[in-house]
Amino acid sequence: MFLSLGEIMLRFCPGDRPLRAATQFTFSEGGGEYNVARALSRCFGHKSGVVTSLVDNELGHLVRHLVEGSGVDTSNILWQDFDGIGKEVRNPLYFAERGFGYRSPKAVMDRGHSAPSQMSVKDVDWKMLFEGGEVKWFHTGGIFAGLSESSAEVAEAAMSAARDAGVHVSYDPNFRSSLWHSRGGSSSAAELNRKLAIYADTLFGVAPLLHPSPPSSTPDGISALMHETTLAFPQLKAIVVGRRTVHSASSHDYAASSWLNGEIFHAEGYQRIDVLDRIGSGDAFAAGYISSTIEGLDPIKSLQMGCAAAALTMSTPGDAVLVSRQDVEQLAQPNQLGEVR
Amino acid sequence: MFLSLGEIMLRFCPGDRPLRAATQFTFSEGGGEYNVARALSRCFGHKSGVVTSLVDNELGHLVRHLVEGSGVDTSNILWQDFDGIGKEVRNPLYFAERGFGYRSPKAVMDRGHSAPSQMSVKDVDWKMLFEGGEVKWFHTGGIFAGLSESSAEVAEAAMSAARDAGVHVSYDPNFRSSLWHSRGGSSSAAELNRKLAIYADTLFGVAPLLHPSPPSSTPDGISALMHETTLAFPQLKAIVVGRRTVHSASSHDYAASSWLNGEIFHAEGYQRIDVLDRIGSGDAFAAGYISSTIEGLDPIKSLQMGCAAAALTMSTPGDAVLVSRQDVEQLAQPNQLGEVR
Amino acid sequence: MFLSLGEIMLRFCPGDRPLRAATQFTFSEGGGEYNVARALSRCFGHKSGVVTSLVDNELGHLVRHLVEGSGVDTSNILWQDFDGIGKEVRNPLYFAERGFGYRSPKAVMDRGHSAPSQMSVKDVDWKMLFEGGEVKWFHTGGIFAGLSESSAEVAEAAMSAARDAGVHVSYDPNFRSSLWHSRGGSSSAAELNRKLAIYADTLFGVAPLLHPSPPSSTPDGISALMHETTLAFPQLKAIVVGRRTVHSASSHDYAASSWLNGEIFHAEGYQRIDVLDRIGSGDAFAAGYISSTIEGLDPIKSLQMGCAAAALTMSTPGDAVLVSRQDVEQLAQPNQLGEVR
Amino acid sequence: MFLSLGEIMLRFCPGDRPLRAATQFTFSEGGGEYNVARALSRCFGHKSGVVTSLVDNELGHLVRHLVEGSGVDTSNILWQDFDGIGKEVRNPLYFAERGFGYRSPKAVMDRGHSAPSQMSVKDVDWKMLFEGGEVKWFHTGGIFAGLSESSAEVAEAAMSAARDAGVHVSYDPNFRSSLWHSRGGSSSAAELNRKLAIYADTLFGVAPLLHPSPPSSTPDGISALMHETTLAFPQLKAIVVGRRTVHSASSHDYAASSWLNGEIFHAEGYQRIDVLDRIGSGDAFAAGYISSTIEGLDPIKSLQMGCAAAALTMSTPGDAVLVSRQDVEQLAQPNQLGEVR
Amino acid sequence: MFLSLGEIMLRFCPGDRPLRAATQFTFSEGGGEYNVARALSRCFGHKSGVVTSLVDNELGHLVRHLVEGSGVDTSNILWQDFDGIGKEVRNPLYFAERGFGYRSPKAVMDRGHSAPSQMSVKDVDWKMLFEGGEVKWFHTGGIFAGLSESSAEVAEAAMSAARDAGVHVSYDPNFRSSLWHSRGGSSSAAELNRKLAIYADTLFGVAPLLHPSPPSSTPDGISALMHETTLAFPQLKAIVVGRRTVHSASSHDYAASSWLNGEIFHAEGYQRIDVLDRIGSGDAFAAGYISSTIEGLDPIKSLQMGCAAAALTMSTPGDAVLVSRQDVEQLAQPNQLGEVR
Amino acid sequence: MFLSLGEIMLRFCPGDRPLRAATQFTFSEGGGEYNVARALSRCFGHKSGVVTSLVDNELGHLVRHLVEGSGVDTSNILWQDFDGIGKEVRNPLYFAERGFGYRSPKAVMDRGHSAPSQMSVKDVDWKMLFEGGEVKWFHTGGIFAGLSESSAEVAEAAMSAARDAGVHVSYDPNFRSSLWHSRGGSSSAAELNRKLAIYADTLFGVAPLLHPSPPSSTPDGISALMHETTLAFPQLKAIVVGRRTVHSASSHDYAASSWLNGEIFHAEGYQRIDVLDRIGSGDAFAAGYISSTIEGLDPIKSLQMGCAAAALTMSTPGDAVLVSRQDVEQLAQPNQLGEVR
């Protein structure tokens, strides 16, 4: 079982209109770390679960139904009492427009006092959770860890316990500037990421970590940065990086690179991807990679699977991987790489 | 000009489904005190404005467009900086299902740390606001005052300044138990209402005030309670009370009573009103009454206009008075009272 | 074949909201005289056609597709050239909200300079149209005839030619006050109806005709009025009248009476009909009656079929008879009359 | 764990329009036996699962996501290969309009060659399924058993194995005339029900069983029939019957009776329930009863909980119990019975 | 009159979402052979009709209304009795997602036991149908013929009778692998096509016919293949082939070639067509070509009209040609060819 | 305050379908001259108002709410009495499909007898309106002036009075061929534009004016034409021209040029703009330019701001500038020019 620790927000989408000119909202549930678990279950057919916290009101149960609808185990959700107005603790929300052409995507976060940000190290008995041996891979990242002082502690306790139990640990040093606004920005985030990276077997991304922002985003630059990172964190077994080029809100390239026990691999990915909604495509990449790696695919094919999942996720509304495993596999076939079908 | 002080929330509605089973959301802006101002402008054609606070992000501007779309002046909105995640200050939200038959309406509030709850007495120069003479009637109520300690102070400062400037002051001792959950419940709310009622010329409702809950809701009981209230607050010129009987979520009666300078009036209102969405109908009543009183209609006709506005507001989705002034006047005609057309 | 002469408007519906607060519009095509032809084809399976006029632009063809979608023959539509802005001639529109409980239905007509109102007697060779013998029943009414001076002439020419050709002629002295606003009101409409009634075999309704408004709407009053009418128009073979009682916008009764060659019949119809949208239910009644009469059902059963069609049409959105013939027959079974199932 | 054996269809709903006049479809998953399991999980918080069969194509996985979204275990779904056109085996569908007032609800079944109807006794190792002791209650009924000869055998094998393993077995002798159209009608269905009833501890309903149709539907008649039934099936511990009175498509009464080890109980239920969509309310009744009985509520309170669940399910679109457990409990409080709130 | 013989399916579309993640469905009616008739009527203004079969239930009549709404004659629809569950005979359905960028379009067929597949040679008196002389052009194809053994016989009987009556016969050797899954694949389909091609005057497409799949799709390859085909079927007067290049699900090229009595013509068509929904564009091509040919346009202009109809059909949702004849003519103007406007 | 004189139409949009195949309509309010005022208020935060006329019915008030919702002052709307059918005076409508790829956008105007076209010079006291000094900039154009003889007079009276009062006057010689269909076409329109241009300080566009159509649309051609224009109208201070290149309905370039007191400026604008809905983008350009010029930005930056506003307006549905001022500013940053982000 794959287990993720993260915040699940209810995302409100105004369709093809800007947020400030919305006329109605569709919604879905999402959040960086959770998205990986969801994709592993919903698309790739692996068992997965999530550790998170929700407030016990109608919105919390709406989120629960959505999570269950993707086959993700919800038995490790920590339910907190509702205070009636959302002052002590809230279900986190965000509002996101998807962008179009020259109009960039945009998100308004409303996650202050979120249930996950109020979690404390005492809330979960991580040792017990991992000792059964059911969890094979544990994943969390810089978004959850960056929610609050206590969520950082929760992340550290979880990663440490997982490592102790021999569970494979992955970490995504994801950065949301809004979370670090009054807490030191990307430098502080990098510091936290460095504190947590020592527990990881696999890293998804390399910044902010040694540097507050990546010194280069070219394949060579990323290769160098991966190398530098492994020197700093010698316990790492893998670094996996998706490389995105944004031509416009409606057209991206997506390629990927990895460092595996000293060796570096590059996958061409896809060019001029028509983008309907980019949110969640990086998480789709991670899920595609993890699924393939678990199943024993070779390094480049695993990266390809990740890129294909990312590309297909950009072709659908919302941040979930809505397509089937067969769709991903078909796009990732060798003769599909590097050309627009 | 009619000026209201209150919180404007963005309301999300799941249509004919329960909240926890929502598939999409429509939305509108609303809030008890504001609703009165909106109805006076949108339906009855009086100039009105609102004093409130919003966060300066996409959601705040979405609300602003909605408020302007009903013709309510937004120049007294206090814009607060967005912290990027909604931790310091937020635009208040709520999620409400409208009920149907045996299924009662339900609301989930998400108004903790709302911009209006963070307002302080220094934020508005009430003296200057009222001294120009443009504002003829000022309205606020127990929802806004109950948001926080500071909003109670803001309400008091505003009412006091309005009274000093000779502006007609009305107050609705509205009670939301969720706001008083950890602050003493309806007894504390009644205490605050008593503190503020001394500045009022007109009261909309009589509880919680002298009593935490109304000792009776029969016409006679309400009459006695109105009498008792005027003894406690001798400066009062009017008490106006809508009397609702709930047969099911889909069928209400709505009648009304008033005390005006010692005299008591009753209007029959309407029986077996088909209810699509009840929220906001009490505010519609207040607006219908105020509009009619300002225009010099007699006391019973003014109550009738209020009841008609309430009945029609229950016939439309959302909490705004969406019908026209002519619709209200037509329903309030004498031969329309007391019978289902 | 049943042939109707009338105006077909594009109707815009704001769903459960008032028109002035619409957020989007669904639409359908409709118009009193046409509705009868549509119901005969779509629901009852009789061949029918319509004589009308449309402007040859995208809206006109949208209407054409809708008419064809109900199986009504469109080969007698007179297409007029579009002037690019709708100054000379327009496709007629109307906007209708359906009401709810105490909120009455409401319509805003936008039919000035409509294509049918611009038709002239030279536009159709009625003699040729009727002489083939394909048309068995011809129907028109006071709405089409009231559109303009020339439409009145067209109606007269058509009725006269149909009568000469031995076609059964029915006329509905329907009255729309908006059409007679500046042309003498219901008195003038009654005068026109008297002018045209002399060509009719069957009348649907009795006012405005001898009187500008019906002197009574009780069954006895209607019976007396039918009798009086047959004295004035001795060529009449039948008068058929639906009797509606409005309890609220959401609850009607519908019964019916007829005079057939000197004999009077009453059908109980249905009480406390739940009304979603009342528009078109009177036309559904006429169609249900005509279909049954053509097929040789007895007088009371024919009225019952009309009442059942009316009741079912009130249960669906829009003004068309959307249910199946079997649905109407089932509701019209004797044991279904006079009781709410 | 509660385990249900049944067919899960994809239901298409045209909203407030008749099927033949649909403009778009919403959908949900449903089926008599499954609905009970879903309600137990989604609303009442009991673990539940379903044994069924789906075709392994996009529609099958759409259904799976819907089932999982209500928290029902899907690990016992038997996936059958898709033949590309739905000739050998299909995912079952149905199209249902919900009715309104005098317009009755209507359903068009499209379940021929459905995956569940193709199941055979060899498909599931029932002994193994029940021997672990995880399943405490097993439920199936006359709809599943009536699908085909082989589904009847599957039902019998399952009930027999459950009974052998000491699992509580309930059976709903539900009848769909369309399933028995060419196979002997309700007489044959009664015969099959008699064959299966011998394995049941609890029966939901009493017809068709000893009689092709219930000889009476009054409380006394039902009591007598329950008594007669227990004589024929002496192993029965309980018979539970919901009693529905249909005033119109939009207004029902719902009460209930039970026979428990020789004693008879009646619950008043609810009168004049406003009905939005009746489908699934009988299954909601069963789930409310089962949940309460499992939790040890007394017989009348258990029936009340069932009636409340049924009443609330009629207030929402679709056939699922969409409300919360708290909603059901609140409506089922003693002072709520027998009066319209 | 143009007459088509084919299967009409109800197509369900999940909008911009994958099928397995659908939230609602719009629908339209469609099917290869029928689409040509529909386009000829709806867009190009030629009289057309369809020979098909539907089940006499609500879905069948929904389809009928849709067909009539495009002006296609429905008097030759063979209505089959509904068995209540869709076991003997069904209205065929399919579910199709339209694709986007790297995400390919996808369809799930649900046409097993469809009414058309159950048609037999005795169902239609083809001789009588054609001898009146009203039908000038008869069209069918490999989809209908491939439905079943009996539909193949029906196609042969129809084509043979049409040929005997001097009606122009066209045939589209369209191939759906799902139909031939268990019946020999494209080799068997080619065999059937060869059996039927001997009755054709015009062929739309050249594979599978002499070869199970086209040996080449370049203009030269197609030219050679057309030549080879005319040698094998010397009675042919015309072969017309649309040539599509797929860059991605959202970007196609469409060009065309024809062989007419020994001469070969090529039209440039359109490059980099923005594709919203590709389904039906090949049928639009055929209709545009037929309409132009009937009206006497020269060979290249006829191909251009077909390409323009195809290009515009890809720009709209669903598989119908929704644009006007003027739109097609305008795009097909010489100066519009070969450049993106 | 910026004041605009123009017609406000209610625009109906069929989404991604052609008009003649519409299934529902969304709507918004729009009109060339008004759009500029709306963008200045809604997006750029300048006070603005509109002089127009509406009919006092539900549609008129629907439009009023929409106008107010963008913050545009409605106190100068001239309300005309409704005649009940729209014969004397109507609220103007139009129906517009947005196009896609090779499918061009299309509009059907329904503005005959519109309220603005019925305005006369006596309706507004322009002198009084301008003398207060509140209005700093007055804008109108060839669409309003071209509505009717009397609207041309109104435009002249307004421009003349504004000029006399020292208000900056801008004029957009916009041309709608449908308005000049029977009145001499673009030659007559050019004549009217020449009559009005003598009152302008700023011209938006240069044709039809000296020439019925622009002799060239290259930058050099436009430069020459601007120069020629200033010789003919020596009072001009500025000519501002947006230069659009249409690759397909879904892909445009937008650049701009200006002549300011003898000097010519060019801005690169944006290439390969993904277009969702082009309508209103030219007006967005004008508003972006005016806002920037008022605020003192340099000539090229002002053009850039206009181009950015145009580009972003093409990325949203409808004709309003729905994005925020910050969005425009961000896109207009120097490093954003001339490259697709």
PDB file of all heavy atoms in Angstrom, chain F residues 95-111:
ATOM      1  N   PHE F  95     -27.608  37.868 -31.117  1.00  0.00           N
ATOM      2  CA  PHE F  95     -27.269  36.467 -30.911  1.00  0.00           C
ATOM      3  C   PHE F  95     -25.937  36.239 -31.604  1.00  0.00           C
ATOM      4  O   PHE F  95     -25.804  36.519 -32.796  1.00  0.00           O
ATOM      5  CB  PHE F  95     -28.359  35.570 -31.503  1.00  0.00           C
ATOM      6  CG  PHE F  95     -29.703  35.790 -30.863  1.00  0.00           C
ATOM      7  CD1 PHE F  95     -30.492  36.862 -31.234  1.00  0.00           C
ATOM      8  CD2 PHE F  95     -30.164  34.940 -29.872  1.00  0.00           C
ATOM      9  CE1 PHE F  95     -31.724  37.082 -30.630  1.00  0.00           C
ATOM     10  CE2 PHE F  95     -31.392  35.154 -29.263  1.00  0.00           C
ATOM     11  CZ  PHE F  95     -32.168  36.231 -29.635  1.00  0.00           C
ATOM     12  N   ALA F  96     -24.953  35.768 -30.859  1.00  0.00           N
ATOM     13  CA  ALA F  96     -23.608  35.665 -31.437  1.00  0.00           C
ATOM     14  C   ALA F  96     -22.974  34.328 -31.113  1.00  0.00           C
ATOM     15  O   ALA F  96     -22.946  33.909 -29.960  1.00  0.00           O
ATOM     16  CB  ALA F  96     -22.721  36.783 -30.905  1.00  0.00           C
ATOM     17  N   GLU F  97     -22.498  33.647 -32.138  1.00  0.00           N
ATOM     18  CA  GLU F  97     -21.676  32.461 -31.889  1.00  0.00           C
ATOM     19  C   GLU F  97     -20.229  32.853 -32.052  1.00  0.00           C
ATOM     20  O   GLU F  97     -19.867  33.724 -32.849  1.00  0.00           O
ATOM     21  CB  GLU F  97     -22.068  31.297 -32.807  1.00  0.00           C
ATOM     22  CG  GLU F  97     -21.968  31.541 -34.278  1.00  0.00           C
ATOM     23  CD  GLU F  97     -22.357  30.306 -35.109  1.00  0.00           C
ATOM     24  OE1 GLU F  97     -21.499  29.453 -35.352  1.00  0.00           O
ATOM     25  OE2 GLU F  97     -23.533  30.236 -35.490  1.00  0.00           O
ATOM     26  N   ARG F  98     -19.362  32.189 -31.290  1.00  0.00           N
ATOM     27  CA  ARG F  98     -18.013  32.720 -31.177  1.00  0.00           C
ATOM     28  C   ARG F  98     -17.027  32.157 -32.185  1.00  0.00           C
ATOM     29  O   ARG F  98     -15.915  32.655 -32.272  1.00  0.00           O
ATOM     30  CB  ARG F  98     -17.502  32.516 -29.758  1.00  0.00           C
ATOM     31  CG  ARG F  98     -17.429  31.081 -29.328  1.00  0.00           C
ATOM     32  CD  ARG F  98     -17.227  30.973 -27.805  1.00  0.00           C
ATOM     33  NE  ARG F  98     -16.911  29.622 -27.427  1.00  0.00           N
ATOM     34  CZ  ARG F  98     -17.109  29.123 -26.212  1.00  0.00           C
ATOM     35  NH1 ARG F  98     -17.628  29.879 -25.275  1.00  0.00           N
ATOM     36  NH2 ARG F  98     -16.791  27.892 -25.927  1.00  0.00           N
ATOM     37  N   GLY F  99     -17.420  31.138 -32.928  1.00  0.00           N
ATOM     38  CA  GLY F  99     -16.506  30.575 -33.911  1.00  0.00           C
ATOM     39  C   GLY F  99     -15.470  29.671 -33.277  1.00  0.00           C
ATOM     40  O   GLY F  99     -15.269  29.666 -32.064  1.00  0.00           O
ATOM     41  N   PHE F 100     -14.811  28.896 -34.131  1.00  0.00           N
ATOM     42  CA  PHE F 100     -13.784  27.954 -33.662  1.00  0.00           C
ATOM     43  C   PHE F 100     -13.013  27.506 -34.892  1.00  0.00           C
ATOM     44  O   PHE F 100     -13.583  26.928 -35.824  1.00  0.00           O
ATOM     45  CB  PHE F 100     -14.457  26.750 -32.974  1.00  0.00           C
ATOM     46  CG  PHE F 100     -13.492  25.766 -32.361  1.00  0.00           C
ATOM     47  CD1 PHE F 100     -12.979  25.999 -31.087  1.00  0.00           C
ATOM     48  CD2 PHE F 100     -13.093  24.625 -33.037  1.00  0.00           C
ATOM     49  CE1 PHE F 100     -12.087  25.097 -30.499  1.00  0.00           C
ATOM     50  CE2 PHE F 100     -12.202  23.714 -32.461  1.00  0.00           C
ATOM     51  CZ  PHE F 100     -11.702  23.950 -31.195  1.00  0.00           C
ATOM     52  N   GLY F 101     -11.727  27.755 -34.895  1.00  0.00           N
ATOM     53  CA  GLY F 101     -10.886  27.312 -36.005  1.00  0.00           C
ATOM     54  C   GLY F 101     -11.369  27.857 -37.331  1.00  0.00           C
ATOM     55  O   GLY F 101     -11.432  29.069 -37.538  1.00  0.00           O
ATOM     56  N   TYR F 102     -11.727  26.972 -38.235  1.00  0.00           N
ATOM     57  CA  TYR F 102     -12.191  27.398 -39.558  1.00  0.00           C
ATOM     58  C   TYR F 102     -13.627  27.933 -39.533  1.00  0.00           C
ATOM     59  O   TYR F 102     -14.112  28.432 -40.530  1.00  0.00           O
ATOM     60  CB  TYR F 102     -12.128  26.222 -40.539  1.00  0.00           C
ATOM     61  CG  TYR F 102     -10.756  25.974 -41.121  1.00  0.00           C
ATOM     62  CD1 TYR F 102      -9.904  25.038 -40.564  1.00  0.00           C
ATOM     63  CD2 TYR F 102     -10.312  26.703 -42.225  1.00  0.00           C
ATOM     64  CE1 TYR F 102      -8.641  24.804 -41.097  1.00  0.00           C
ATOM     65  CE2 TYR F 102      -9.066  26.470 -42.766  1.00  0.00           C
ATOM     66  CZ  TYR F 102      -8.221  25.527 -42.209  1.00  0.00           C
ATOM     67  OH  TYR F 102      -6.991  25.315 -42.742  1.00  0.00           O
ATOM     68  N   ARG F 103     -14.317  27.757 -38.429  1.00  0.00           N
ATOM     69  CA  ARG F 103     -15.682  28.261 -38.316  1.00  0.00           C
ATOM     70  C   ARG F 103     -15.650  29.683 -37.779  1.00  0.00           C
ATOM     71  O   ARG F 103     -15.286  29.907 -36.632  1.00  0.00           O
ATOM     72  CB  ARG F 103     -16.521  27.355 -37.407  1.00  0.00           C
ATOM     73  CG  ARG F 103     -17.952  27.812 -37.223  1.00  0.00           C
ATOM     74  CD  ARG F 103     -18.849  26.714 -36.663  1.00  0.00           C
ATOM     75  NE  ARG F 103     -18.368  26.184 -35.412  1.00  0.00           N
ATOM     76  CZ  ARG F 103     -18.694  26.656 -34.206  1.00  0.00           C
ATOM     77  NH1 ARG F 103     -19.523  27.683 -34.101  1.00  0.00           N
ATOM     78  NH2 ARG F 103     -18.208  26.103 -33.115  1.00  0.00           N
ATOM     79  N   SER F 104     -16.045  30.622 -38.602  1.00  0.00           N
ATOM     80  CA  SER F 104     -15.962  32.029 -38.238  1.00  0.00           C
ATOM     81  C   SER F 104     -17.044  32.406 -37.231  1.00  0.00           C
ATOM     82  O   SER F 104     -18.097  31.788 -37.191  1.00  0.00           O
ATOM     83  CB  SER F 104     -16.138  32.891 -39.494  1.00  0.00           C
ATOM     84  OG  SER F 104     -15.146  32.574 -40.430  1.00  0.00           O
ATOM     85  N   PRO F 105     -16.782  33.428 -36.431  1.00  0.00           N
ATOM     86  CA  PRO F 105     -17.826  33.942 -35.545  1.00  0.00           C
ATOM     87  C   PRO F 105     -18.974  34.492 -36.382  1.00  0.00           C
ATOM     88  O   PRO F 105     -18.806  34.835 -37.565  1.00  0.00           O
ATOM     89  CB  PRO F 105     -17.143  35.063 -34.776  1.00  0.00           C
ATOM     90  CG  PRO F 105     -15.718  35.052 -35.151  1.00  0.00           C
ATOM     91  CD  PRO F 105     -15.536  34.173 -36.340  1.00  0.00           C
ATOM     92  N   LYS F 106     -20.135  34.577 -35.776  1.00  0.00           N
ATOM     93  CA  LYS F 106     -21.316  34.990 -36.524  1.00  0.00           C
ATOM     94  C   LYS F 106     -22.268  35.703 -35.566  1.00  0.00           C
ATOM     95  O   LYS F 106     -22.393  35.305 -34.411  1.00  0.00           O
ATOM     96  CB  LYS F 106     -21.989  33.739 -37.083  1.00  0.00           C
ATOM     97  CG  LYS F 106     -23.198  33.959 -37.940  1.00  0.00           C
ATOM     98  CD  LYS F 106     -23.751  32.627 -38.435  1.00  0.00           C
ATOM     99  CE  LYS F 106     -22.823  31.988 -39.470  1.00  0.00           C
ATOM    100  NZ  LYS F 106     -23.425  30.785 -40.083  1.00  0.00           N
ATOM    101  N   ALA F 107     -22.923  36.747 -36.041  1.00  0.00           N
ATOM    102  CA  ALA F 107     -23.875  37.450 -35.186  1.00  0.00           C
ATOM    103  C   ALA F 107     -25.172  37.708 -35.935  1.00  0.00           C
ATOM    104  O   ALA F 107     -25.156  38.025 -37.120  1.00  0.00           O
ATOM    105  CB  ALA F 107     -23.288  38.767 -34.698  1.00  0.00           C
ATOM    106  N   VAL F 108     -26.271  37.535 -35.249  1.00  0.00           N
ATOM    107  CA  VAL F 108     -27.583  37.916 -35.776  1.00  0.00           C
ATOM    108  C   VAL F 108     -28.100  39.058 -34.917  1.00  0.00           C
ATOM    109  O   VAL F 108     -28.352  38.883 -33.725  1.00  0.00           O
ATOM    110  CB  VAL F 108     -28.572  36.733 -35.726  1.00  0.00           C
ATOM    111  CG1 VAL F 108     -29.962  37.177 -36.145  1.00  0.00           C
ATOM    112  CG2 VAL F 108     -28.088  35.599 -36.610  1.00  0.00           C
ATOM    113  N   MET F 109     -28.223  40.218 -35.529  1.00  0.00           N
ATOM    114  CA  MET F 109     -28.675  41.407 -34.810  1.00  0.00           C
ATOM    115  C   MET F 109     -30.199  41.424 -34.738  1.00  0.00           C
ATOM    116  O   MET F 109     -30.870  41.034 -35.689  1.00  0.00           O
ATOM    117  CB  MET F 109     -28.199  42.664 -35.531  1.00  0.00           C
ATOM    118  CG  MET F 109     -26.695  42.842 -35.516  1.00  0.00           C
ATOM    119  SD  MET F 109     -26.124  43.240 -33.831  1.00  0.00           S
ATOM    120  CE  MET F 109     -24.376  42.834 -33.998  1.00  0.00           C
ATOM    121  N   ASP F 110     -30.702  41.870 -33.614  1.00  0.00           N
ATOM    122  CA  ASP F 110     -32.139  42.061 -33.461  1.00  0.00           C
ATOM    123  C   ASP F 110     -32.338  43.377 -32.712  1.00  0.00           C
ATOM    124  O   ASP F 110     -32.804  43.413 -31.583  1.00  0.00           O
ATOM    125  CB  ASP F 110     -32.741  40.880 -32.684  1.00  0.00           C
ATOM    126  CG  ASP F 110     -34.264  40.905 -32.687  1.00  0.00           C
ATOM    127  OD1 ASP F 110     -34.845  41.643 -33.511  1.00  0.00           O
ATOM    128  OD2 ASP F 110     -34.871  40.212 -31.854  1.00  0.00           O
ATOM    129  N   ARG F 111     -31.922  44.439 -33.392  1.00  0.00           N
ATOM    130  CA  ARG F 111     -31.889  45.748 -32.760  1.00  0.00           C
ATOM    131  C   ARG F 111     -32.786  46.773 -33.442  1.00  0.00           C
ATOM    132  O   ARG F 111     -32.692  47.979 -33.147  1.00  0.00           O
ATOM    133  CB  ARG F 111     -30.456  46.240 -32.705  1.00  0.00           C
ATOM    134  CG  ARG F 111     -29.895  46.682 -34.031  1.00  0.00           C
ATOM    135  CD  ARG F 111     -28.387  46.634 -34.164  1.00  0.00           C
ATOM    136  NE  ARG F 111     -27.665  47.310 -33.110  1.00  0.00           N
ATOM    137  CZ  ARG F 111     -26.338  47.445 -33.088  1.00  0.00           C
ATOM    138  NH1 ARG F 111     -25.615  46.962 -34.108  1.00  0.00           N
ATOM    139  NH2 ARG F 111     -25.739  48.027 -32.101  1.00  0.00           N
TER     140      ARG F 111
END
